[in-house]
Amino acid sequence: MIQSAQAFAAPFLDPLALGIVAGGTAVALILRTPLGDVGRATGALRTLGRKRFDAGPLITQIEALSRIAAKHGVMTLDRSVITDPDVATAISDIVDGKDGVTVAAHLAERQTARAERHRTASDFWASAAEIAPAMGMIGTLLGLVRMFLAMEDVTAIGGAMAIALLTTLYGAVLATLVAMPISARLRTQARAEYVERMRLIAPLETLATREAPRWQRRAEAA
Amino acid sequence: MIQSAQAFAAPFLDPLALGIVAGGTAVALILRTPLGDVGRATGALRTLGRKRFDAGPLITQIEALSRIAAKHGVMTLDRSVITDPDVATAISDIVDGKDGVTVAAHLAERQTARAERHRTASDFWASAAEIAPAMGMIGTLLGLVRMFLAMEDVTAIGGAMAIALLTTLYGAVLATLVAMPISARLRTQARAEYVERMRLIAPLETLATREAPRWQRRAEAA
Amino acid sequence: MIQSAQAFAAPFLDPLALGIVAGGTAVALILRTPLGDVGRATGALRTLGRKRFDAGPLITQIEALSRIAAKHGVMTLDRSVITDPDVATAISDIVDGKDGVTVAAHLAERQTARAERHRTASDFWASAAEIAPAMGMIGTLLGLVRMFLAMEDVTAIGGAMAIALLTTLYGAVLATLVAMPISARLRTQARAEYVERMRLIAPLETLATREAPRWQRRAEAA
Amino acid sequence: MIQSAQAFAAPFLDPLALGIVAGGTAVALILRTPLGDVGRATGALRTLGRKRFDAGPLITQIEALSRIAAKHGVMTLDRSVITDPDVATAISDIVDGKDGVTVAAHLAERQTARAERHRTASDFWASAAEIAPAMGMIGTLLGLVRMFLAMEDVTAIGGAMAIALLTTLYGAVLATLVAMPISARLRTQARAEYVERMRLIAPLETLATREAPRWQRRAEAA
Amino acid sequence: MIQSAQAFAAPFLDPLALGIVAGGTAVALILRTPLGDVGRATGALRTLGRKRFDAGPLITQIEALSRIAAKHGVMTLDRSVITDPDVATAISDIVDGKDGVTVAAHLAERQTARAERHRTASDFWASAAEIAPAMGMIGTLLGLVRMFLAMEDVTAIGGAMAIALLTTLYGAVLATLVAMPISARLRTQARAEYVERMRLIAPLETLATREAPRWQRRAEAA
């Protein structure tokens, strides 16, 4: 079975054609994208396997932290281990005595910056989906030009045509089955994370609004 | 007649070509869409046969419920059978003593969430209409590459070309006559349902505004 | 002359090819458009020959009606023959004693509904301009597949190719010279009518504002 | 040199092909555009050679007029020769005793109407750039159909193909080197004129604001 | 190695084809763009090698200037060497005694004008990326027409086809690997500079707000 699949696939594999399309697309992307954004966009691939972001556990944690703050004072939150960067930032703000409005504004700012980063990554792959077919066509044209220049040997035309068309094939596959799905997934993930993270702002703002005056009293008392 | 149609259609049917286009489009769609959205988009196909959503009967029902509430008290609405989820939610809110503004806000929120769900379904089929021709081209390129590699047998070229072109044909038909009409219909249906359902908010808000104070008096009396 | 034109045109006429393109486009349009909108879009073709809508005569008529109302009372307007539906609705509102704001709001609502109807019609023909070339390509692919399957007879290839290309030709002509011009004309007409009809609102609002209090006095006196 | 250029160009000239593309594009444009807009769009070609609109001299003229009005009274402006239609309209308003707000509003209205006219002209040529390649393809399809129907004479195929391709060539040249540049230029010119003319409003409004009360006093005195 | 690369590249180089695509694209761009914008767009190429604009050093400089103004009076700033045009303009405004709001408004105006200039340059290259493939196709059509007109010599067809396809190849390469990356880079750079420069406004506004009243006192004292 595997052998017959290999036998079926063999004529469709050509390292040079693959190099032209994949390499050319990579070059065009690097030419048009600042290096930092390239790193971010390829780094975003690691998040594709992750489950949809769920604010639920974080909200439970915030409630637990809120109870701790109510009992033992907001200062004790300093010692808790918080893995989520947004919650950690907000708690650190609260421990510093910032009020609700400031904490919410800080979180909103982080949301906007994150959305911008996510958009950059998803746009990178959308660009790849645009460039890959163009590179495929460039490869095919290269192949056709070579073929037409060496047409004395009519029997070789078939093979040359086949290889020339392979780059267009690779470009279309790369765009339709790789780059476009990655871009679409990243966009969907980013939107879902944005909406979920919005749910974190209210409880953290409430906590800050409750603790800020107490903090101040304690600070004044000290 | 049927026989001649079959004879006419026979050369245009090729299971492998159909598999490449339909299967490839499905794979590309699944790669780029979260699983829940795939289910929702295919589930939306069941609604295509339905008649245009009409708020008329629901408004009549709301008027009937309003009369019942006026005579026997709002609590009795609890027993009525309401099939529409929006009306059911609103009546349940009213039985719980929520005021008009709250009920209207809750309905508006449900409207927005429904519009988002409908948009996801219609976008899924719009994506299918984009991907199908690309998969058709990929199939044709696969066929052409195979053909060019086996060109010794000149008599076989015609048949190979025919099969290669079939995938482009299937992609175009799938996009133009299946995916695009589904997407357009879902969009039109969603817009019509949105506009019709808007007519439900006012009478339910009025009912809630009338019953909320009475409910409170009764609650206070109890 | 006519004979030579016929001789020139003859090879470009093929009923089957025409049927595939025109029929296929019609089917795809009917699949994606609610039946009511199809009727409206085809009905809109009758308005193409009409002159640009001019609000001038209607404004003259409104002035005449205003003089009649000032002399003989607003009730007498009931008897006047008004062919324009917007003016008729507004006059009927005024006769019923509605004030200026209500009449203007009613007219604005009618304007919005009319603009939506016109947009639906013009979008229908824009869709036709998109679908026709796709159907043309489908027809050509059907023709090419048939041709490649019957390539033994080399002398027949030319004729088969010619017929195959005819559908692409029909699709392009249908889109460029029929559907796109209709869509653009309907859009221009609709915009012009919208702007012209806007001029009707002010005089009708003024008339209503003048007559509403008089009407009320008379109603109170009665 | 010229002779060799002619010899080079000769095979690329074909009156019928040119007629199909240029004529077909013209027909499609006339079908979709109201006659008045066609005249306006072709009339706009005369403005292409003009220098970028500069409000400087007009502002100098307004200052001169302002001095005259201060010395000899605003009525004397009536006799001055003003070629720019906007300035002439504003001065005529000022002579009639209109105040600053009215004059500025009148000028803004003229600006909007002019922008709309300019947009119509630039859109006309953008449409031409869309239609020309489609007409080129239609011409090529006509040529190919004819060629395939008369394939007995194999030696004639080359010439027929050449003529068939000429229409596509003409369509691409017409769009890329004629219609698109015209549309882009008209758009740039219109934007520049809009921005420049904006500078005229303030000094004319100031003049009107200064003269309107004086005018009134004089009118009252009279 | 270099020799073999030359041998590989040689068949893909054709001065005439390159001239048609590059020259034609340049002509089309010059036809559609005012001369000043052409100069600005080509001048923008020099900025491509620059590092991302960083407001950090400028903010440090503003802080230093602020300390100098606090110690020695705002007039002394006149003597400092400031290379950045925005900061120089703002300091010159401050030395002239303008208040914070005026300085901030002036900087915002300069930001808008700069953004407009940057957009013009990036749009120019985006247009080049659109025109280059069209010119490539025009060149290929020219080549094909010539080839079909001289088909007696069958052995020459291959070479003619090869040269005809080269222009399409050049057009695609020019668009994908030159014009599009330039346009994208310029856009990214412009956005980054815009965001960074926004950080300059606050400290300069603060400085102006602090110094304006002191300046006035001194001016009054003088």
Side-chain angles (χ1 to χ4, degrees):
Chain A
M1 177 70 198
I2 286 166
Q3 219 164 6
S4 84
Q6 274 182 334
F8 179 83
F12 298 116
L13 294 177
D14 185 80
L16 180 62
L18 195 60
I20 290 173
V21 176
T25 304
V27 166
L29 281 169
I30 288 168
L31 282 176
R32 70 191 280 180
T33 318
L35 214 64
D37 292 354
V38 174
R40 196 165 294 142
T42 47
L45 295 180
R46 279 190 315 247
T47 70
L48 283 177
R50 287 197 207 147
K51 283 174 65 179
R52 197 178 264 240
F53 184 86
D54 180 14
L58 292 175
I59 289 175
T60 313
Q61 191 184 18
I62 294 168
E63 283 163 4
L65 293 169
S66 180
R67 279 192 300 274
I68 294 174
K71 267 196 221 153
H72 309 292
V74 75
M75 301 306 185
T76 55
L77 295 186
D78 220 6
R79 283 172 244 148
S80 30
V81 178
I82 305 165
T83 50
D84 186 79
D86 271 29
V87 178
T89 308
I91 291 296
S92 150
D93 278 0
I94 293 171
V95 168
D96 290 355
K98 302 268 167 62
D99 65 358
V101 175
T102 311
V103 167
H106 197 171
L107 284 172
E109 204 180 272
R110 284 180 68 93
Q111 278 275 70
T112 308
R114 178 182 291 109
E116 179 72 13
R117 282 200 309 276
H118 284 174
R119 206 182 55 76
T120 304
S122 135
D123 280 3
F124 177 87
W125 291 101
S127 297
E130 261 180 61
I131 294 169
M135 289 311 307
M137 199 187 77
I138 286 173
T140 296
L141 287 166
L142 285 170
L144 289 177
V145 168
R146 293 205 75 185
M147 184 189 89
F148 282 121
L149 289 178
M151 264 202 355
E152 311 84 59
D153 183 5
V154 179
T155 58
I157 289 180
M161 269 302 279
I163 290 176
L165 288 180
L166 275 180
T167 55
T168 296
L169 177 62
Y170 292 168
V173 169
L174 205 60
T176 312
L177 293 174
V178 179
M180 255 165 49
I182 291 176
S183 174
R185 284 241 159 206
L186 288 176
R187 205 166 44 236
T188 311
Q189 267 184 356
R191 207 184 308 164
E193 183 169 344
Y194 188 87
V195 170
E196 277 293 294
R197 276 192 185 281
M198 274 297 170
R199 291 171 51 200
L200 296 177
I201 296 185
L204 286 165
E205 186 176 0
T206 309
L207 178 56
T209 305
R210 194 189 71 195
E211 296 298 332
R214 283 211 226 167
W215 190 91
Q216 210 149 5
R217 271 194 305 265
R218 220 166 307 167
E220 279 161 15
Chain B
M1 178 70 198
I2 286 165
Q3 220 164 3
S4 86
Q6 274 182 336
F8 179 84
F12 300 116
L13 294 177
D14 184 79
L16 180 61
L18 196 60
I20 289 174
V21 176
T25 304
V27 166
L29 281 169
I30 288 168
L31 281 176
R32 70 190 281 179
T33 318
L35 214 64
D37 291 354
V38 175
R40 196 166 294 143
T42 48
L45 295 180
R46 279 188 316 243
T47 71
L48 283 177
R50 286 197 207 148
K51 285 175 64 179
R52 198 178 262 241
F53 184 86
D54 179 13
L58 292 176
I59 288 174
T60 313
Q61 190 183 19
I62 294 168
E63 283 163 4
L65 293 169
S66 181
R67 278 192 301 274
I68 296 174
K71 266 196 222 153
H72 309 291
V74 75
M75 301 306 186
T76 55
L77 296 185
D78 220 5
R79 281 173 244 148
S80 30
V81 178
I82 305 165
T83 50
D84 186 79
D86 272 28
V87 177
T89 308
I91 291 297
S92 150
D93 278 359
I94 293 170
V95 168
D96 290 356
K98 302 267 166 65
D99 66 359
V101 175
T102 310
V103 167
H106 197 171
L107 284 172
E109 203 180 272
R110 284 180 68 93
Q111 278 274 70
T112 308
R114 178 182 290 110
E116 179 72 14
R117 282 200 309 276
H118 284 175
R119 205 182 56 76
T120 304
S122 136
D123 279 3
F124 178 88
W125 291 101
S127 296
E130 261 181 61
I131 295 170
M135 289 311 306
M137 199 187 77
I138 287 173
T140 296
L141 287 166
L142 285 170
L144 289 177
V145 168
R146 293 205 74 185
M147 184 189 89
F148 281 122
L149 288 178
M151 265 200 356
E152 311 84 58
D153 183 5
V154 179
T155 57
I157 288 180
M161 269 302 278
I163 291 177
L165 287 180
L166 275 180
T167 56
T168 296
L169 176 62
Y170 292 167
V173 169
L174 205 60
T176 312
L177 293 173
V178 180
M180 254 164 50
I182 291 176
S183 174
R185 283 242 158 205
L186 287 177
R187 205 165 46 238
T188 312
Q189 267 185 356
R191 206 183 310 164
E193 183 169 345
Y194 188 86
V195 170
E196 277 293 294
R197 276 193 184 280
M198 274 297 171
R199 291 171 51 201
L200 296 177
I201 296 185
L204 286 166
E205 187 176 359
T206 309
L207 179 55
T209 305
R210 193 188 72 195
E211 295 298 332
R214 283 212 225 167
W215 190 90
Q216 210 149 5
R217 271 194 306 266
R218 218 166 309 167
E220 278 161 17
Chain C
M1 179 71 199
I2 285 165
Q3 219 164 2
S4 85
Q6 274 182 336
F8 178 84
F12 299 116
L13 294 177
D14 184 79
L16 180 60
L18 196 60
I20 290 174
V21 176
T25 304
V27 166
L29 280 169
I30 289 168
L31 281 176
R32 69 191 281 179
T33 318
L35 214 64
D37 292 354
V38 174
R40 195 166 295 143
T42 47
L45 295 180
R46 280 188 315 243
T47 71
L48 283 177
R50 287 197 207 149
K51 284 176 62 179
R52 198 178 263 239
F53 184 86
D54 179 14
L58 293 175
I59 289 174
T60 314
Q61 189 183 20
I62 294 168
E63 284 162 4
L65 293 169
S66 181
R67 279 192 300 274
I68 295 174
K71 266 197 224 154
H72 309 290
V74 74
M75 301 305 186
T76 55
L77 296 185
D78 219 7
R79 282 172 244 148
S80 31
V81 178
I82 305 165
T83 49
D84 185 79
D86 272 28
V87 178
T89 309
I91 292 298
S92 151
D93 278 0
I94 292 170
V95 168
D96 290 355
K98 302 267 166 66
D99 65 359
V101 175
T102 310
V103 167
H106 197 171
L107 284 172
E109 203 179 274
R110 284 180 68 93
Q111 278 274 70
T112 309
R114 179 182 290 109
E116 178 72 13
R117 281 200 309 276
H118 285 174
R119 205 181 56 76
T120 304
S122 137
D123 280 2
F124 178 87
W125 290 100
S127 297
E130 262 180 62
I131 294 169
M135 290 311 306
M137 199 187 77
I138 287 173
T140 296
L141 287 166
L142 284 170
L144 288 177
V145 168
R146 293 205 74 186
M147 184 190 89
F148 282 122
L149 288 177
M151 266 202 352
E152 311 85 57
D153 183 6
V154 179
T155 57
I157 288 180
M161 268 303 277
I163 291 176
L165 287 180
L166 275 180
T167 55
T168 296
L169 176 63
Y170 292 166
V173 169
L174 205 61
T176 311
L177 293 172
V178 179
M180 256 165 47
I182 291 176
S183 173
R185 283 242 158 205
L186 288 176
R187 206 165 44 238
T188 312
Q189 267 185 357
R191 209 184 306 164
E193 183 169 345
Y194 188 88
V195 171
E196 277 293 294
R197 275 193 185 281
M198 274 297 169
R199 291 170 52 201
L200 297 177
I201 296 185
L204 286 166
E205 187 176 359
T206 309
L207 177 57
T209 304
R210 193 188 72 195
E211 295 297 333
R214 284 211 225 167
W215 190 91
Q216 209 148 8
R217 271 194 305 267
R218 217 167 310 167
E220 278 162 17
Chain D
M1 179 72 198
I2 285 165
Q3 217 163 5
S4 85
Q6 275 183 335
F8 178 84
F12 300 116
L13 295 177
D14 185 79
L16 179 60
L18 196 60
I20 290 174
V21 176
T25 304
V27 165
L29 280 169
I30 288 168
L31 282 176
R32 69 192 280 180
T33 317
L35 214 63
D37 292 353
V38 173
R40 196 165 295 143
T42 48
L45 294 180
R46 280 188 316 245
T47 72
L48 282 178
R50 286 196 208 149
K51 283 175 64 180
R52 197 178 264 240
F53 184 86
D54 179 14
L58 293 175
I59 289 175
T60 314
Q61 190 184 18
I62 295 168
E63 283 162 5
L65 293 169
S66 181
R67 278 192 300 275
I68 296 174
K71 268 196 223 154
H72 310 290
V74 74
M75 301 306 188
T76 56
L77 295 186
D78 220 6
R79 284 173 242 147
S80 31
V81 177
I82 305 166
T83 50
D84 185 81
D86 272 28
V87 178
T89 308
I91 292 297
S92 150
D93 279 0
I94 293 170
V95 168
D96 290 356
K98 302 267 166 65
D99 65 0
V101 175
T102 310
V103 168
H106 197 172
L107 284 172
E109 203 180 273
R110 284 180 68 93
Q111 278 274 70
T112 309
R114 178 183 289 109
E116 178 72 14
R117 282 200 308 276
H118 284 174
R119 206 182 55 75
T120 303
S122 136
D123 279 3
F124 178 87
W125 291 101
S127 296
E130 260 180 63
I131 294 169
M135 289 312 304
M137 199 188 78
I138 287 172
T140 296
L141 287 166
L142 285 170
L144 289 177
V145 167
R146 293 204 74 185
M147 185 189 88
F148 282 122
L149 288 177
M151 264 200 355
E152 310 84 58
D153 183 6
V154 179
T155 57
I157 288 180
M161 268 303 278
I163 291 176
L165 287 180
L166 274 180
T167 55
T168 296
L169 176 62
Y170 292 167
V173 169
L174 205 61
T176 311
L177 293 173
V178 180
M180 255 165 48
I182 291 176
S183 173
R185 283 245 157 203
L186 288 176
R187 204 165 44 235
T188 311
Q189 267 185 357
R191 209 184 307 163
E193 183 169 345
Y194 188 87
V195 170
E196 277 294 294
R197 275 193 186 281
M198 274 295 170
R199 291 170 52 201
L200 297 177
I201 296 185
L204 286 166
E205 187 176 0
T206 308
L207 178 58
T209 305
R210 193 189 72 196
E211 296 297 335
R214 285 211 224 167
W215 190 91
Q216 210 149 8
R217 271 193 306 267
R218 219 167 308 167
E220 278 162 15
Chain E
M1 177 72 198
I2 286 166
Q3 219 165 3
S4 84
Q6 276 183 334
F8 178 83
F12 300 116
L13 294 177
D14 186 80
L16 180 61
L18 196 60
I20 290 174
V21 177
T25 304
V27 166
L29 280 169
I30 288 168
L31 282 176
R32 70 191 280 181
T33 318
L35 215 63
D37 292 354
V38 174
R40 196 166 294 143
T42 47
L45 294 180
R46 280 190 315 245
T47 71
L48 282 178
R50 286 197 207 149
K51 283 175 63 181
R52 196 179 265 241
F53 184 86
D54 179 14
L58 293 175
I59 289 175
T60 313
Q61 190 184 19
I62 295 168
E63 283 163 5
L65 293 169
S66 181
R67 278 192 301 273
I68 295 174
K71 268 196 221 152
H72 308 291
V74 75
M75 301 306 186
T76 56
L77 295 186
D78 219 6
R79 284 172 243 148
S80 31
V81 178
I82 305 165
T83 50
D84 186 81
D86 272 29
V87 178
T89 308
I91 292 296
S92 151
D93 279 0
I94 293 171
V95 169
D96 290 356
K98 303 267 166 65
D99 66 358
V101 175
T102 310
V103 167
H106 197 172
L107 284 172
E109 203 180 90
R110 284 180 68 92
Q111 279 274 69
T112 308
R114 179 182 289 110
E116 179 71 16
R117 282 199 308 275
H118 284 174
R119 205 182 56 75
T120 303
S122 136
D123 280 2
F124 177 87
W125 291 101
S127 296
E130 260 180 63
I131 294 169
M135 290 311 306
M137 199 187 78
I138 287 173
T140 296
L141 288 166
L142 285 170
L144 288 177
V145 167
R146 293 205 73 187
M147 185 189 88
F148 281 122
L149 288 178
M151 266 203 352
E152 311 84 58
D153 182 6
V154 179
T155 58
I157 289 180
M161 269 303 277
I163 291 176
L165 288 180
L166 275 180
T167 54
T168 296
L169 176 62
Y170 292 167
V173 169
L174 205 61
T176 312
L177 293 173
V178 179
M180 255 164 49
I182 291 176
S183 173
R185 284 243 158 203
L186 288 176
R187 204 166 44 235
T188 311
Q189 267 184 357
R191 207 185 308 164
E193 184 169 345
Y194 188 87
V195 170
E196 278 293 296
R197 275 192 186 281
M198 274 296 170
R199 290 171 51 201
L200 297 177
I201 296 185
L204 286 166
E205 186 176 1
T206 308
L207 178 57
T209 304
R210 195 188 70 194
E211 296 298 332
R214 284 211 225 167
W215 190 91
Q216 210 149 7
R217 271 194 305 266
R218 220 166 307 169
E220 278 161 16

